[in-house]
Amino acid sequence: MATADPTFLTDPPRFVFFTGKGGVGKTSIACASALRLARAGKRVLLVSTDPTSNVGQVFGLSIGNTITEVPAAPGLSALEIDPEQAAAAYRERIVGPVRGLLPDAEIASITEQLSGSCTTEVASFDEFTSLLADPDERVAGFDHVLFDTAPTGHTIRLLQLPGNWTEFLDNGKGDASCLGPLAGLDKQKAMYAGAVEALSDPERTRLVLVARANRAALAEIARTHDELTAIGMTRQHVVVNGVLPTPVDDTDPLATAVYHREQAALATVPDTIAGLPTDLIELKAVNMVGLDAVSSLFDAASPPTAAAETDLVAIAEIAEAPLADLIDAIEADGHGLVMCMGKGGVGKTTVAAAIAVALVQRGHDVHLTTTDPAAHLTETLAGELDHLEVSRIDPHEASETYRNRVLAAKGAGLDDAGRATLAEDLLSPCTEEVAVFQAFSKVIHESRRKFVVIDTAPTGHTLLLLDATGSYHREIARQMGDGAQFTTPLMRLQDPAQTKIVLVTLAETTPVLEAAGLQDDLRRAGIAPWAWVINNSLAAAEPTAPLLRRRAVAELEQIDKVRGELADRYAVIPLSTTEPVGITAVGSLAELRPEPSPVQ
């Protein structure tokens, strides 16, 4: 099944992008690919465009926003496009030349205008396009540049931005506040055009669509295939990661069920990607952290060793912590906001849906919504339920609504030329930030009288949304002055009586580290996470197959870390033998209990 020489690494072009649904192993595949090419004598730069990159963690060193050599892998360097560092450098490029020439108050005003999440996105995008166009020959010495991207929705947005900005500039400069002084636009326009050219050239760019062997992940890369083919990225490969090898026998019901479920998904791959070159990578017994583990990812899996007796006892003694207990506490308030947050691929959508369905089944009206650009709520629920409203904060729809509202209000007193200028300004990609924030604020307000459950986008995208919420709060506070009475969306998020933040994770090193980092970020913003949910736990499911048993043992350290160090309250959801799709299946997750059983 597995291959030591993946087809997507055969005669690779200069640029290789790895994208897919969160949690499918993009970073592991990208890091293993970079190592393979570097050990073949190539000079390789591995770039992460994920706002919550963990490339540094995989290699065991601090990377950040500068090109950093990986000492243990000669020929390999890495770069993490850190949004905050990129934004700070971007602001300085704009403000620095006029500092001392303009009054301090005006400098402060410019700096404030460039402090929002829109500037952060544009700054990160600037870094990304500069690597593709390479106007300063910063990456000229590398044979290959590999991009480990953010989860799919964010990546599509990033890859479409060069075309969006090029079109925006071609059709008129409009409101260029996010891009800086008008004098710099011609240079940026040329760089963006160079990025578009590189992306659409199959001799220079290859797209690797990474998935797991499940219907949702395969359906998502099929959608990604269509969207990115439309912008000229036609040279595409598929990698299905973490495929369970054929069980040696059928004595473990969980292993047998997972194997047949994955094989059924692989047998019904969407037609649009069925003909693409495809590699299957076997599930390994260890987490992909460290050079030794990552370098073995493309090798055939070795038979796992038996778990130690002490490990088996520890698995059997996992504390009972059902999701139902958390829902009891949520329900006691009668209404409020529940936000499920975490790394992509940990099951936020499933957990959010399970909480919402359980509350409806207990007699409440519930609004379940998502801010994820790659939302899958309707696929997860696969049906309708009385008293459950399901929606999506769609960036395009929110932007169109916002533009129409602004044109109707501000454009009412303008002449034709003025309305045309206003309409052009509102075509800026930055308009989307404001529109999504306003839709998010409306949903928060609704939670004053009913339960609202939000399935958020993966961590980095969510942090940008919360940053916009904080910027709005600071602006309102400045305008209202001391002593004024007001309530902003941020204040509702900070009030534990109104908002319960649920951090969703898997019992693996990277998701737990990222959730812990998110918890720290939230606390700095005055928002205290309420509970953690450890989803799809193998240890709680107590498998007997050797490979799954070894992976279950590997979970124990992370489960102990969550319940002992990180969470005030937590729940554990065992990995199920059936995929949690449909109202009944999703609702049953709220009642699943990791029941102790005799040691095998």
Side-chain angles (χ1 to χ4, degrees), residues 318 506-507 534-542 555 559 572-575:
I318 287 178
L506 302 177
I534 300 171
N535 192 32
N536 283 343
S537 171
L538 270 171
E542 299 186 56
E555 289 184 354
I559 292 174
V572 178
I573 301 177
L575 179 66

Side-chain angles (χ1 to χ4, degrees), residues 15-334:
F15 301 114
V16 183
F17 285 85
F18 297 88
T19 190
K21 182 178 170 64
V24 297
K26 294 184 300 296
T27 297
S28 298
I29 297 292
C31 290
S33 301
L35 276 172
R36 182 63 60 93
L37 291 172
R39 288 174 176 174
K42 303 295 185 181
R43 289 202 62 209
V44 182
L45 175 62
L46 175 61
V47 181
S48 175
T49 67
D50 192 334
T52 54
S53 170
N54 63 310
V55 168
Q57 175 202 332
V58 171
F59 290 132
L61 75 161
S62 178
I63 297 174
N65 209 40
T66 57
I67 294 176
T68 304
E69 292 185 0
V70 179
L76 175 61
S77 297
L79 167 67
E80 294 174 331
I81 298 180
D82 181 276
E84 294 306 321
Q85 291 183 29
Y90 183 84
R91 280 192 294 270
E92 183 57 28
R93 288 201 303 272
I94 293 173
V95 176
V98 296
R99 189 177 285 114
L101 300 177
L102 297 176
D104 290 346
E106 191 165 344
I107 293 294
S109 176
I110 294 173
T111 302
E112 176 64 24
Q113 291 175 20
L114 295 172
S115 65
S117 56
C118 178
T119 297
T120 302
E121 180 179 33
V122 172
S124 299
F125 158 71
D126 241 19
E127 291 275 338
F128 162 70
T129 52
S130 71
L131 294 171
L132 290 171
D134 201 20
D136 54 4
E137 298 188 341
R138 183 165 51 138
V139 298
F142 291 99
D143 300 304
H144 301 286
V145 182
L146 277 55
F147 291 87
D148 168 35
T149 70
T152 311
H154 200 84
T155 296
I156 291 173
R157 166 80 173 151
L158 184 68
L159 295 176
Q160 288 174 336
L161 271 174
N164 288 349
W165 278 123
T166 299
E167 182 180 356
F168 177 60
L169 298 177
D170 283 342
N171 293 336
K173 292 174 180 177
D175 180 6
S177 59
C178 287
L179 293 174
L182 293 176
L185 286 181
D186 287 338
K187 177 183 177 181
Q188 288 174 307
K189 180 177 177 180
M191 185 171 71
Y192 299 161
V196 171
E197 184 180 349
L199 288 174
S200 59
D201 183 354
E203 297 303 314
R204 284 193 282 170
T205 300
R206 177 176 296 171
L207 181 69
V208 179
L209 304 168
V210 185
R212 297 297 290 262
N214 63 63
R215 290 180 300 169
L218 291 168
E220 178 148 328
I221 64 170
R223 285 191 290 268
T224 304
H225 162 77
D226 294 341
E227 292 193 50
L228 296 184
T229 296
I231 63 172
M233 296 188 71
T234 57
R235 194 171 183 181
Q236 301 181 11
H237 285 241
V238 170
V239 172
V240 184
N241 187 34
V243 179
L244 184 67
T246 307
V248 295
D249 54 46
D250 59 358
T251 58
D252 184 351
L254 181 64
T256 301
V258 170
Y259 174 76
H260 287 301
R261 188 168 73 205
E262 291 185 346
Q263 293 303 308
L266 292 172
T268 55
V269 170
D271 292 340
T272 54
I273 59 173
L276 295 178
T278 301
D279 293 291
L280 303 182
I281 309 299
E282 283 187 352
L283 180 70
K284 302 300 187 292
V286 297
N287 289 330
M288 290 294 115
V289 177
L291 286 179
D292 290 341
V294 172
S295 62
S296 68
L297 181 58
F298 298 147
D299 299 333
S302 302
T305 58
E309 189 68 23
T310 53
D311 291 331
L312 299 182
V313 172
I315 288 176
E317 292 179 348
I318 287 178
E320 183 177 305
L323 182 61
D325 286 356
L326 296 186
I327 296 172
D328 288 343
I330 292 170
E331 185 190 19
D333 292 336

